[in-house]
Amino acid sequence: MLSIDPKTTPTPDLHQFLLGSVAPRPIAFVSTLSKEGAPNLAPYSFFNVFSSNPPIAIFSSNRRVRNNTTKDTLANAEETKEVVINMVSYDIVRQMTLASIEYPSAVNEFQKAGLTPLPSERVAPFRVKESPAQLECIVKEILPLGDQGGAGNLVVCEVVMMHVMEEAVENGRINPHKMDLMGRMGRAFYCRASGEAVFPIVQPVNQLGIGYDNLPAAVRGSQVLNGWELSQLAAVTELPTEIEVENIRKDARVMDALAGNDQERTDHLHRYAKELLAKDDVHKAWQVILNDI
């Protein structure tokens, strides 16, 4: 394991280690207006939502590492107290990168990136029409974290109006595959949050699973089951009954496993359980495994 001391690591290197480790990060494509009314559009990946009541989103406009300067977005947010945070889908991610170019303040990044400014309802800055979701925000507070290159400036935003493309909403919830959002990794790497990369893990938080600590030692030390599968087993609230365990001994594969020596029996039963866990049949997997306890 490589150990990195922030106090002795050059800021450009530390910056890349942090961005490569804390990833993927959502992208805030922030549109603002200068006090003179000039549009500005810039992406930020130090971003997330932090409250739903009140609805609060925060992004950080960091001081540039190489020369300790700040960006137009920060100046505009300080002066006008209004921003729009646009989400970035795969369809517009390449155009988004054009808006990250450090154009002079008077240049309109909407035009440079080929994106369409759309009037907002509650704030003055434009929305990005092509974005699948847009958050109209008022700036509640700006928190400077330092005065050196790389220091963040947290822009605390209250969402006063939200827009989401209708085709992505099903039964009152957002379908992530239809949003097709992008995340930022370290350096020039991005990731796409749709397709096989997106999958559900259903874990009720109000049902007390037995936990890893209550897994039998033979299960925790399995040479067949991995951490994902052990977690499936640890999530159950109760184990099968003795009758259920006894009944599954009629299963041909269980019968074959029980005919072997100790290690063969364990491995065969765990391989069978592994197949059942892949089908999310956790209860039957436990029935199989408990024949080895």
Side-chain angles (χ1 to χ4, degrees), residues 43-90:
Y44 295 89
S45 68
F46 287 179
F47 161 63
N48 219 309
V49 290
F50 291 87
S51 172
S52 54
N53 186 21
I56 298 294
I58 301 176
F59 71 93
S60 181
S61 181
N62 286 22
R63 305 181 75 89
R64 295 182 178 94
V65 173
R66 69 178 182 281
N67 59 12
N68 198 23
T69 58
T70 57
K71 301 179 181 180
D72 293 333
T73 299
L74 182 61
N76 294 345
E78 288 174 332
E79 292 175 349
T80 69
K81 306 299 183 185
E82 294 183 341
V83 304
V84 176
I85 301 175
N86 304 276
M87 303 304 119
V88 177
S89 65
Y90 178 79

Side-chain angles (χ1 to χ4, degrees), residues 20-276:
S21 299
V22 184
R25 301 180 306 282
I27 302 169
F29 203 11
V30 181
S31 54
T32 57
L33 288 177
S34 70
K35 61 182 179 180
E36 293 81 19
N40 181 268
L41 185 61
Y44 295 89
S45 68
F46 287 179
F47 161 63
N48 219 309
V49 290
F50 291 87
S51 172
S52 54
N53 186 21
I56 298 294
I58 301 176
F59 71 93
S60 181
S61 181
N62 286 22
R63 305 181 75 89
R64 295 182 178 94
V65 173
R66 69 178 182 281
N67 59 12
N68 198 23
T69 58
T70 57
K71 301 179 181 180
D72 293 333
T73 299
L74 182 61
N76 294 345
E78 288 174 332
E79 292 175 349
T80 69
K81 306 299 183 185
E82 294 183 341
V83 304
V84 176
I85 301 175
N86 304 276
M87 303 304 119
V88 177
S89 65
Y90 178 79
D91 286 345
I92 64 170
V93 67
R94 192 63 181 86
Q95 289 169 275
M96 178 216 71
T97 64
L98 293 175
S100 69
I101 295 172
E102 294 177 9
Y103 292 108
S105 298
V107 172
N108 184 339
E109 286 86 1
F110 278 94
Q111 294 176 349
K112 290 295 184 183
L115 295 167
T116 309
L118 186 66
S120 297
E121 295 183 14
R122 302 284 177 85
V123 298
F126 296 103
R127 295 179 278 149
V128 174
K129 181 179 180 181
E130 293 82 1
S131 168
Q134 308 124 13
L135 310 179
E136 298 184 26
C137 305
I138 56 173
V139 176
K140 303 293 288 183
E141 189 176 6
I142 298 178
L143 301 175
L145 302 181
D147 58 7
Q148 300 300 307
N153 292 278
L154 303 187
V155 184
V156 182
C157 306
E158 181 174 352
V159 181
V160 295
M161 181 62 70
M162 182 175 183
H163 309 270
V164 181
M165 65 177 189
E166 291 185 19
E167 54 268 38
V169 179
E170 299 173 352
N171 300 316
R173 296 292 184 267
I174 289 176
N175 181 330
H177 300 284
K178 293 186 177 179
M179 291 289 280
D180 203 9
L181 295 175
M182 297 296 299
R184 186 73 194 273
M185 312 291 284
R187 297 186 293 157
F189 292 100
Y190 292 80
C191 68
R192 187 176 183 179
S194 62
E196 293 184 0
V198 175
F199 51 86
I201 299 178
V202 179
Q203 178 58 64
V205 297
N206 57 351
Q207 297 179 15
L208 300 181
I210 65 170
Y212 256 72
D213 54 329
N214 283 315
L215 294 177
V219 177
R220 289 199 307 271
S222 175
Q223 301 299 305
V224 175
L225 301 171
N226 60 29
W228 180 293
E229 292 148 354
L230 293 177
S231 295
Q232 289 177 276
L233 296 171
V236 302
T237 58
E238 59 183 9
L239 299 179
T241 65
E242 291 183 10
I243 294 176
E244 288 177 312
V245 174
E246 183 177 343
N247 285 341
I248 206 167
R249 290 176 190 155
K250 302 171 185 176
D251 184 296
R253 291 187 61 178
V254 174
M255 292 174 63
D256 288 344
L258 294 177
N261 61 40
D262 289 350
Q263 190 58 52
E264 289 176 342
R265 181 181 67 247
T266 298
D267 289 349
H268 288 171
L269 290 173
H270 287 195
R271 279 196 289 271
Y272 188 14
K274 188 180 188 78
E275 295 175 19
L276 293 168

